Amino acid sequence: MCNRLRAWFEGDSRERPVRLKWIAAVGTVIVAGVAGCHSSPRTSETAAENIKAAGATFPYPIYNKWFTEYAQEHPGVHINYQSIGSGGGVVQTSEGTVDFGASDMPVTDEKIAAAKVKFTNLPTVLGAVVPIYNVPGMSQELNFSGDVIAEIYLGKIKAWNDPLIAKDNPGVSLPAKPIIPVYRSEGSGTTYIFTDYLSKVSPEWASKVGRNSAVKWPTGIGAKGSEGVSGMVRQTPGAFGYTELIYASQNNIQYGTVKNAAGNYVKATPDGVTAAAAAAAQSMTTDFRVSITNAAGPTSYPISSFTYLLIPVHFADPAKGAAVKDFLNWMLATGESQAAGMGYAPLPKPVADKVALAIGQVQ
């Protein structure tokens, strides 16, 4: 092959300039092609974004699914989410140690104003907190009214056969066994939702304990994270606690119905959570920080809440900002449809439309 090329090139000298031009042109095309082959990987490396996020455990199952699926569709973007609790999510977002955070409790104007990084609260899905229990030999679903749950954690109801529990569960044979209350030991949006509800249904709770992500519990045992509370209740006969619906379902822990504002005992379902959000959705403005616990309506589940991503209003790294915005738009277009199948409720359309406008304001 080389001899043929040499012969072709060393032929008639009058044709040599033409041959040189042809070789130069071919060489240019080859070089361009080689450069083109390498440009795509370099672009991918440049566009690759490793995004750090941390916060709430309440939405972790669906966030984990979303981040995984988004990365599969967008190989250049990887979102590493640490489920550390809402309190940690607020702190790390405020200090800028993560690119965005997550919280089950709406963050106040005061905390945002004091933060190094200013951020907005964007709702993602809605979920339910359920009362979980471990009563040996009890396969029947138990009913709980809000004042009973409050008095268990106030230390006033100490046994499973207490008359107030029996009143909620007529005809049920309740054992004379002690109740062991379990609560979240760290700052938690789930605790905020739970204590927000208790503050609405129990004046004594409101005055003595109140609502917050971390409170001074009058009685009980603390456990870290939703996993900790769920595990403690599952392993401890007589235990009573609270956790997200998804964790109770995944761990096969018994959970009860809760008496709503209309006086009906309601089991936690995505439809019941959606019903609780319906009134709030109609009156919600561009500020998404609303409470929907103990909502009106015959089918509303009373311990329901939005959960939020804490998104900086301005990203120092424009590429990361663009990637996060793209994910948020993907969440609305694709992720929301997966909510009900995982025990969450999708955003009502009026809320989703407002969230889409808010995403457009992120820089």
Side-chain angles (χ1 to χ4, degrees):
M1 181 69 179
C2 291
N3 290 333
R4 289 179 184 177
L5 286 172
R6 187 180 299 110
W8 176 79
F9 177 73
E10 294 176 350
D12 190 336
S13 60
R14 290 173 299 178
E15 296 180 5
R16 196 169 297 165
V18 175
R19 292 190 181 107
L20 286 171
K21 290 181 180 179
W22 185 89
I23 291 171
V26 171
T28 301
V29 171
I30 292 172
V31 171
V34 171
C37 291
H38 289 287
S39 64
S40 182
R42 281 201 298 268
T43 301
S44 297
E45 288 178 15
T46 302
E49 295 298 336
N50 293 310
I51 297 169
K52 294 188 296 182
T57 60
F58 181 93
Y60 173 71
I62 194 166
Y63 284 1
N64 186 53
K65 180 178 177 65
W66 284 353
F67 297 151
T68 300
E69 291 190 4
Y70 184 80
Q72 290 171 349
E73 295 181 23
H74 304 77
V77 180
H78 305 281
I79 302 175
N80 178 17
Y81 182 79
Q82 299 296 316
S83 176
I84 62 172
S86 295
V90 173
V91 170
Q92 293 201 19
T93 306
S94 299
E95 293 179 349
T97 54
V98 293
D99 297 305
F100 66 86
S103 173
D104 301 325
M105 57 183 177
V107 184
T108 63
D109 288 338
E110 291 77 15
K111 286 188 176 182
I112 295 174
K116 295 178 183 177
V117 176
K118 304 302 183 284
F119 55 88
T120 186
N121 298 253
L122 290 184
T124 54
V125 290
L126 299 106
V129 177
V130 297
I132 57 177
Y133 54 91
N134 180 351
V135 183
M138 177 68 64
S139 59
Q140 186 169 346
E141 184 179 87
L142 295 179
N143 300 322
F144 298 95
S145 56
D147 59 334
V148 166
I149 297 174
E151 294 204 3
I152 288 173
Y153 280 101
L154 286 167
K156 300 175 71 174
I157 293 179
K158 300 179 182 294
W160 280 104
N161 64 343
D162 187 279
L164 288 177
I165 298 179
K167 183 180 177 182
D168 282 339
N169 298 275
V172 177
S173 179
L174 296 163
K177 293 186 176 296
I179 296 177
I180 303 170
V182 183
Y183 57 84
R184 289 281 289 271
S185 59
E186 84 284 13
S188 158
T190 307
T191 295
Y192 179 88
I193 297 165
F194 190 63
T195 58
D196 179 51
Y197 167 69
L198 295 182
S199 294
K200 290 181 180 180
V201 297
S202 169
E204 184 176 2
W205 183 272
S207 63
K208 290 184 177 180
V209 184
R211 63 173 64 82
N212 212 327
S213 60
V215 298
K216 186 175 181 180
W217 296 91
T219 188
I221 300 172
K224 187 174 182 179
S226 298
E227 302 91 338
V229 171
S230 298
M232 179 73 73
V233 171
R234 187 177 55 219
Q235 297 167 16
T236 309
F240 178 86
Y242 61 94
T243 192
E244 299 85 347
L245 172 61
I246 184 68
Y247 281 96
S249 300
Q250 287 181 340
N251 292 283
N252 296 315
I253 302 175
Q254 285 184 304
Y255 61 94
T257 66
V258 182
K259 190 175 184 179
N260 68 11
N264 301 319
Y265 292 99
V266 181
K267 190 177 179 69
T269 64
D271 287 344
V273 174
T274 298
Q282 294 175 2
S283 59
M284 185 180 284
T285 63
T286 53
D287 190 340
F288 303 105
R289 295 172 294 177
V290 297
S291 170
I292 59 171
T293 56
N294 206 38
T299 62
S300 296
Y301 181 72
I303 319 180
S304 299
S305 178
F306 288 100
T307 189
Y308 304 87
L309 285 180
L310 310 178
I311 305 295
V313 295
H314 177 78
F315 281 83
D317 183 339
K320 280 190 176 181
V324 171
K325 286 181 70 171
D326 188 72
F327 163 76
L328 293 171
N329 286 315
W330 178 93
M331 175 192 76
L332 291 180
T334 303
E336 291 294 318
S337 63
Q338 303 170 353
M342 297 191 67
Y344 300 92
L347 296 176
K349 189 178 185 307
V351 178
D353 291 343
K354 291 182 175 66
V355 171
L357 293 174
I359 292 170
Q361 299 302 310
V362 176
Q363 299 178 347

